[in-house]
Structure formats: C-alpha cells, structure tokens
Amino acid sequence: DRFNQRPKITDKNCVPSQFTEEKLGQAEKTELDAHLENLLSRAESTKHWTERIMKQTEVLLQPNPNVRIEEFLYEKLEKKAPTRLNNHEQLGQSMIDAGNEYGPGTAYGNALVKCGETQKQIGSAEREFMQSTATNFLTPFRNFLEGDFKTILKERKLLQNKRLDLDAAKTRLKKARMADARAVAEQELRVTQSEFDRQAEITRLLLEGISSSHAHHLRCLNDFVEAQTTYYAQCYQYMVDLQKQLGSFPSTFSSNNNQSSTSTAASISVPTISTSAALPSPASGMGSPGFSGSRRARVLYDYDAAGSSELSLLADEVITVRSVPGMDSDWLMGERGNQKGKVPITYLELLN
C-alpha cells in the first residue's frame, strides 16, 4: 500500500540530503539544548588538553624524538624495547672508567669514581620516576582517550544522525499536502523525535561522566607530583652525600679552580639550602706546605693496601698521619699502633 511504499527515515539518502541542504542554508536545523552543548564543549576541551599534557609529559620523560618513535613502534608491535643506559648512567659509567684508568688511589681518579657512582644512582632514580609516571599518569590518560572518549565520539555521531533524521522528517511533514501523506510524515516525525530524545539522553549521561574522568585524572596528577617529589629528593640526597665525600678532599686538590669558582660565585645566585651543618669540613692543610708534624685523621672508606709499603684502612677508624718530604702529594704516612705505611689522602678527613 502507499504507507509501506513511503521511504523510511532510515533511508540512506535522507541523512546526506538533509546535511547538504543544511550546509546550503536550504533546510532548518534542530539545535541542541544549552546544557548538552556545554557538555560537548567541555568534552572537546578535555580531549584537547589531555592529549597536550600527554605529549609534553612524553617529551619530558624522553626528549629524544627518535627514541620516542622507536618506543612507540615497539609498543604497537607488542614487543619489549631494548634496555639502554640513560644519559646519567652513560655519564656515570664514563667517569668510573676514567677514574679507574687514572687510578682510584689518586685524588682525581677517586673523585671521578665517586661522581660516576652518584650519576648512576641518579640515572636509576630517573628510571624509577619514568616507570612510575608511565604507569600511574600516562596510562590512565591514554585509556581515557582510547576508551571513554571514543565511546563519547561514537554516541555523539549517532546523535548527529538522529538529529538529521529528525530534521528530515520535519521537512517532509512541511512538504506533505495530501492527508495520508501528512499522516505518514507525522508518524515518522514522532518516531524520529523519540529516537533523537533517547540518543540525546544517552549522550548526556556519557558527557556528564567527564566529571568522574576529571576526578580520576586529579588522582593521577597527585601520583605524578609524588613521584616527581621523590625523584628530586633522591637526587638531592645523592648530591649531598657526594658533597660530603668531595668535601673531604685536600685543599691542594681544589686549588686549581679557586679563582674561577670565586668569580663564578660572584655572578651566580645559588639557592640557600641549610646543608653546611651536615657536611664535613674540608681536610684543609693536608699535603700543603703548612702541614708539619703528626695529625689525627678519620678514615672515610675502606682501603686495601696494594703493597707492603701501604697501610690498609677501615672506614671510620682514626689513625695518625704525617707528611714525608719527597712523598707523592696524593699520599701521607699513616700509623696505627706499631703498623705504618702510605695511605691515600682522599680516603681521610683530618681532625682538629
């Protein structure tokens, strides 16, 4: 009959035709209510800034774009990326290798080894920070974009199609002249209006869920801040410990840089951090021309004698040391009871 011969609102030609006529200004368009429009706008803003924050966080964790691309490809292929040393670890290893070649018994060699070990500790802390951030910050953000927001996009597209169907039905009703044609158009309008209202409600509920996503992202942000705080606190503590070790080196070791460091300090503003009380005073006078007679010294680290002319040391023990004319400036003569032998000055802290 004529009713069944009328094209259904789901006819594939209806939506494109209505959309084209709207673009040409030849058809009216049903506007969404203000609340739904605001929710849609907030969802788009959330998507934009979530993507932006994710991208910049990835740049922070891995500044090298080539490495980021490589890690992305491994992730897509579901393969484990090869483990590589980060910059701190590479620097640390180079310092340790250089220090060992110069000789850990020399002032410079020992300092390089200690600095290298600290750099490797910082590299390890950085690796832990990166892992924590990727798991607790980036992954939830990525899950939102690939899960919740994709669902919102799907339902929003369905809403757009339902809206086009509704407006097409309104247009057909306006054009209907015969009574039976108007009856068919009115029935189609009721159906499309009902479907549009239902889809609008589904979309609204999903969009209101963005508030829950914001709350979840806030918790993730707190996790990121905590991980970053832990990372910087670890780095600070490692450097304080390194300063304690370097602070025990003799003044003759650092004298080469006294002039440059003084001029630099005059032009650079350094944050005031109360760490001086925790740092041992430099072993001033050790190996200098003013050092004469015997002095007591605390051993900073264990030392195994390399020959019969040297004295093995145990950390934290106190021994007596004295300078010997003609002896290498990196060494002093140490005495412990009836035992005596050469000891490296970098392993000692002079006591008053």
Side-chain angles (χ1 to χ4, degrees):
D1 57 36
R2 295 178 63 184
F3 181 83
N4 291 330
Q5 291 175 355
R6 296 288 298 181
K8 299 293 185 182
I9 194 60
T10 54
D11 191 329
K12 294 182 180 179
N13 294 324
C14 295
V15 170
S17 176
Q18 176 66 26
F19 182 79
T20 302
E21 290 179 2
E22 285 180 4
K23 289 297 183 181
L24 296 175
Q26 299 174 353
E28 294 183 3
K29 176 181 176 181
T30 298
E31 299 294 339
L32 302 177
D33 65 78
H35 177 59
L36 191 55
E37 288 284 7
N38 288 336
L39 291 176
L40 287 168
S41 177
R42 186 175 67 157
E44 282 296 333
S45 177
T46 300
K47 171 182 177 291
H48 169 74
W49 288 112
T50 299
E51 289 177 334
R52 184 78 175 270
I53 292 171
M54 276 187 58
K55 179 180 178 181
Q56 294 306 126
T57 303
E58 290 170 347
V59 171
L60 171 69
L61 298 181
Q62 179 49 261
N64 189 326
N66 294 328
V67 176
R68 288 203 304 274
I69 293 174
E70 180 182 336
E71 291 175 347
F72 174 78
L73 292 176
Y74 274 106
E75 181 181 348
K76 289 300 180 183
L77 294 173
E78 297 182 350
K79 293 184 178 180
K80 184 179 180 181
T83 302
R84 57 167 57 88
L85 297 179
N86 57 36
N87 292 334
H88 285 291
E89 291 170 330
Q90 289 180 359
L91 173 60
Q93 190 59 53
S94 296
M95 286 181 168
I96 291 174
D97 292 344
N100 287 330
E101 183 165 331
Y102 292 147
T106 64
Y108 184 38
N110 182 261
L112 279 171
V113 171
K114 295 302 176 185
C115 288
E117 290 171 349
T118 299
Q119 290 299 322
K120 294 185 76 171
Q121 286 179 311
I122 293 175
S124 177
E126 180 184 40
R127 194 180 297 280
E128 292 176 4
F129 166 64
M130 292 173 63
Q131 182 61 41
S132 174
T133 300
T135 302
N136 301 323
F137 189 64
L138 290 178
T139 297
F141 275 39
R142 186 176 292 107
N143 289 342
F144 164 75
L145 293 173
E146 297 178 355
D148 293 350
F149 194 78
K150 279 191 174 181
T151 302
I152 289 174
L153 288 178
K154 177 183 176 182
E155 297 301 328
R156 188 179 67 178
K157 184 173 180 62
L158 284 175
L159 178 63
Q160 171 75 347
N161 290 337
K162 297 298 183 184
R163 200 270 306 163
L164 290 170
D165 288 345
L166 173 61
D167 289 339
K170 290 180 179 178
T171 300
R172 281 193 294 274
L173 178 59
K174 288 182 179 181
K175 294 179 179 180
R177 295 290 181 266
M178 304 297 292
D180 56 348
R182 288 188 62 83
V184 171
E186 288 173 354
Q187 175 63 20
E188 289 177 343
L189 180 59
R190 284 192 292 271
V191 171
T192 53
Q193 182 70 61
S194 175
E195 291 179 351
F196 171 77
D197 292 341
R198 179 176 176 275
Q199 186 59 38
E201 180 65 14
I202 293 173
T203 306
R204 181 185 65 80
L205 291 174
L206 286 172
L207 291 171
E208 289 177 345
I210 290 290
S211 296
S212 298
S213 297
H214 284 186
H216 184 210
H217 291 176
L218 175 58
R219 291 192 294 272
C220 296
L221 182 61
N222 287 331
D223 290 340
F224 171 71
V225 171
E226 182 178 349
Q228 200 168 32
T229 301
T230 300
Y231 168 56
Y232 286 125
Q234 287 178 317
C235 293
Y236 171 75
Q237 188 58 53
Y238 292 148
M239 296 311 297
V240 168
D241 293 341
L242 179 61
Q243 279 186 318
K244 291 180 181 180
Q245 298 177 39
L246 297 184
S248 65
F249 285 178
S251 58
T252 54
F253 171 66
S254 59
S255 61
N256 293 336
N257 294 324
N258 281 347
Q259 184 175 358
S260 61
S261 62
T262 302
S263 60
T264 303
S267 60
I268 299 178
S269 175
V270 180
T272 303
I273 303 176
S274 300
T275 60
S276 58
L279 300 178
S281 59
S284 59
M286 187 181 296
S288 64
F291 179 74
S292 61
S294 299
R295 294 281 297 273
R296 297 175 68 221
R298 182 174 67 86
V299 178
L300 298 174
Y301 332 104
D302 291 345
Y303 176 74
D304 294 327
S308 59
S309 63
E310 299 179 8
L311 180 66
S312 296
L313 303 174
L314 295 176
D316 294 325
E317 72 171 324
V318 176
I319 64 173
T320 301
V321 295
R322 58 186 174 84
S323 60
V324 176
M327 183 178 289
D328 191 316
S329 61
D330 290 332
W331 297 81
L332 290 172
M333 182 60 67
E335 297 182 6
R336 182 201 305 113
N338 295 326
Q339 298 176 320
K340 66 178 182 179
K342 294 194 303 181
V343 294
I345 59 178
T346 55
Y347 282 65
L348 304 173
E349 175 190 0
L350 279 183
L351 302 177
N352 294 327

